């Protein structure tokens, strides 16, 4: 069965060889994500490879399994997986020096949408009267992030600990709307504290408080040093939904969130994704 599925996957890639110079395989199978990844990786590999079609596979485990069993010898290829919480801890499946596979350096592809240019272009296209400078001044990306960064750090830290100690307990699948304070995409301190306390109580059923404190402070310290806590929290279920809430508070739009994301993918900064170029498996 595995052999047949792998042959089918590479047969699909072969069908698109006339528009692709490289075969890229990703996790996300949801409608719209092929176009999102096409928009992103066509710019990442601009001038090197044509990218007009990517190939969704499914879960992280499926992508890694197919990468390990990959027998493709004729064409460049790249398997792409989310960073998830592996970017904060140990990843036993992907080592730093392996080629053919690239682990995103942020939690997920959606975290790369936290980008001034992509936000500015969308707001400007949707506003009939205000210019881009005014819109971005009102949006106040820096101020918004500053207002929420400590709460984001707190969420990331407790979610990471939960993923290590009580992995059966839901973390990022807990809806961010339950933690928001207003229509501007700001987190509510009281709601976040309640969520934190609930997970901490469950974690302390497994480890003692001293170990909890050591682990928690280590993560908080690392996040503080990076200054980019929002890179380490699920973009799909937290950062991007918060971003959409805030954008919709400044412009009226009838566009669905998936359509907004497809449009934004054309303008996000891809420089921070160019590390994947060195991970391409070249077999020619």
């Amino acid at each position: 069965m595995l052999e047949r599925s792998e042959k089918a996957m590479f047969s699909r890639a072969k069908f698109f060889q006339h528009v692709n110079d490289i075969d890229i395989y990703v996790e996300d199978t949801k409608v719209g994500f092929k176009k999102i990844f096409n928009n992103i990786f066509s710019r990442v590999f601009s001038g090197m490879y044509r990218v007009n079609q990517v190939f969704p596979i499914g879960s992280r485990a499926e992508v890694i399994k197919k990468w390990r069993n990959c027998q493709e010898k004729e064409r460049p290829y790249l398997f792409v997986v989310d960073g998830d919480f592996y970017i904060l801890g140990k990843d036993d499946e992907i080592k730093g020096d392996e080629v053919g596979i690239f682990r995103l350096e942020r939690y997920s592809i959606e975290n790369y949408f936290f980008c001034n240019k992509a936000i500015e272009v969308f707001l400007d296209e949707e506003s009939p009267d205000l210019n881009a400078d005014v819109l971005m001044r009102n949006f106040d990306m820096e101020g918004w992030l500053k207002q929420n960064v400590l709460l984001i750090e707190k969420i990331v830290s407790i979610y990471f600990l939960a993923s290590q100690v009580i992995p059966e307990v839901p973390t990022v699948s807990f809806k961010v709307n339950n933690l928001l304070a207003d229509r501007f995409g700001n987190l509510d301190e009281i709601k976040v504290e309640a969520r934190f306390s609930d997970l901490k109580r469950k974690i302390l059923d497994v480890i003692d408080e001293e170990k909890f404190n050591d682990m928690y402070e280590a993560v908080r310290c690392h996040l503080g040093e990076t200054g980019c806590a929002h890179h380490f929290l699920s973009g799909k279920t937290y950062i991007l939904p918060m971003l959409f809430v805030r954008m919709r508070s400044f412009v009226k739009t009838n566009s669905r969130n998936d359509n907004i994301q497809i449009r934004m993918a054309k303008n996000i900064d891809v420089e921070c994704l160019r590390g994947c170029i060195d991970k391409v498996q070249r077999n020619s």
Side-chain angles (χ1 to χ4, degrees), residues 78 95-102 275-281:
L78 182 68
K95 313 302 179 185
D97 58 349
E98 292 171 318
V99 295
I101 192 163
F102 176 67
C276 71
I277 295 173
D278 293 333
K279 295 295 184 178
V280 172
Q281 178 67 60

Side-chain angles (χ1 to χ4, degrees), residues 57-224:
I57 292 177
S59 69
R60 184 181 202 267
E62 282 297 310
V63 175
I64 293 175
K65 179 171 66 175
K66 287 180 169 57
W67 163 64
R68 292 195 184 283
N69 288 281
C70 180
Q71 299 299 314
E72 176 71 52
K73 298 297 183 183
E74 299 176 356
R75 288 167 55 79
Y77 63 84
L78 182 68
F79 290 78
V80 181
V81 295
D82 289 348
D84 297 321
F85 281 129
Y86 295 101
I87 55 178
L88 279 173
K90 185 179 180 182
D91 190 343
D92 292 326
E93 296 180 290
I94 302 175
K95 313 302 179 185
D97 58 349
E98 292 171 318
V99 295
I101 192 163
F102 176 67
R103 185 185 68 197
L104 295 177
E105 295 169 347
R106 300 180 188 179
Y107 193 100
S108 64
I109 197 67
E110 289 88 349
N111 292 78
Y112 293 88
F113 287 72
F114 201 90
C115 167
N116 276 305
K117 181 181 178 183
I119 295 169
E120 178 180 326
V121 170
F122 171 76
L123 294 178
D124 191 40
E125 289 175 347
E126 293 295 319
S127 176
D129 46 13
L130 299 178
N131 63 39
D133 288 342
V134 173
L135 287 164
M136 288 304 289
R137 190 158 58 246
N138 293 341
F139 188 86
D140 188 16
M141 173 81 90
E142 184 178 350
W144 180 46
L145 185 58
K146 185 176 181 180
Q147 181 173 340
N148 290 279
V149 65
L150 293 180
L151 293 178
I152 291 174
E153 287 181 5
K154 195 163 194 173
I155 295 171
V156 172
S157 299
I158 197 66
Y159 279 7
F160 174 72
L161 264 63
S163 74
Q164 302 299 298
V165 181
I166 47 172
E168 70 281 3
V169 175
T171 53
V172 296
S173 61
F174 183 86
K175 292 186 180 300
V176 70
N177 286 345
N178 296 325
L179 301 176
L180 293 182
D182 53 42
R183 66 183 183 90
F184 297 104
N186 292 304
L187 291 165
D188 186 289
E189 185 173 0
I190 295 175
K191 293 176 182 177
V192 170
E193 184 59 40
R195 175 70 172 148
F196 176 90
S197 298
D198 179 56
L199 289 175
K200 179 179 179 180
R201 176 179 54 79
K202 293 174 180 176
I203 293 171
L204 290 178
D205 286 339
V206 180
I207 63 174
D208 60 44
E209 188 144 14
E210 181 178 359
K211 185 172 183 180
F212 172 88
N213 290 336
D214 288 344
M215 294 175 66
Y216 180 73
E217 288 307 317
V219 179
R220 285 295 295 267
C221 181
H222 176 72
L223 294 174

